[in-house]
Amino acid sequence: YTLWRLFIGRSYRAYGAALGPEFGHKSHLYVNRIAFGIPFPLTRLRFTAGRVPLRGEFVVYYANIANEVVILAGQVAGLPGDIVALKREALGMHSELPADTADEGPVSCTVPENAFFVVSHDDRLMPDSRSLGFVPRRDLIGPVSGIWWPPRLIRRMRP
């Protein structure tokens, strides 16, 4: 069982409505840990490269918030090379995203190589790339394969 959790897949709890209001609060997500490369246990390193996340795919990832590493869930909205446009009021203080307030129009930026733009359903409740910046590939844990708890929400997830 331990080897399965270290290499193949494991369950994570999603707080808030990161994946959408229909998924509820404290849903249990099953995450495929080998899809983005076979993980080296207890690190963010991988033995293999694995596949690239797909646009629209739900993923679980590590984020650094106030010098604390937390695990978040969201949907891939931008792949490397994509141009994303944001309203200025949605931008956080992350240095990778432009925060010039002289103009009130939308801000466009290009997703850098080996990074992704991941959004939660409601960024007021759950931080995402709009406030934290781009998610490096090494911080992706894996795609959400399904929801297994609570029973009324059991389903397989596909992008």
Side-chain angles (χ1 to χ4, degrees), residues 64-77:
N64 189 345
I65 300 175
N67 294 324
E68 182 179 341
V69 176
V70 296
I71 295 174
L72 300 174
Q75 191 170 22
V76 176

Side-chain angles (χ1 to χ4, degrees), residues 26-27 30-31 49 65 93 133 146:
K26 297 183 181 177
S27 298
Y30 185 78
V31 176
I65 300 175
M93 299 308 293

Side-chain angles (χ1 to χ4, degrees), residues 8 22 24 72 77 84 88 94 101 109 116 127 141 154-156:
I8 308 297
E22 67 273 19
L72 300 174
V84 293
R88 290 183 188 274
H94 199 278
T101 57
C109 50
F116 300 88
I141 297 170
I154 292 175
R155 70 184 70 187
R156 186 171 180 197

Side-chain angles (χ1 to χ4, degrees), residues 11-30:
S11 178
Y12 291 93
R13 185 180 260 173
Y15 293 95
L19 304 182
E22 67 273 19
F23 299 112
H25 183 66
K26 297 183 181 177
S27 298
H28 290 261
L29 312 173
Y30 185 78

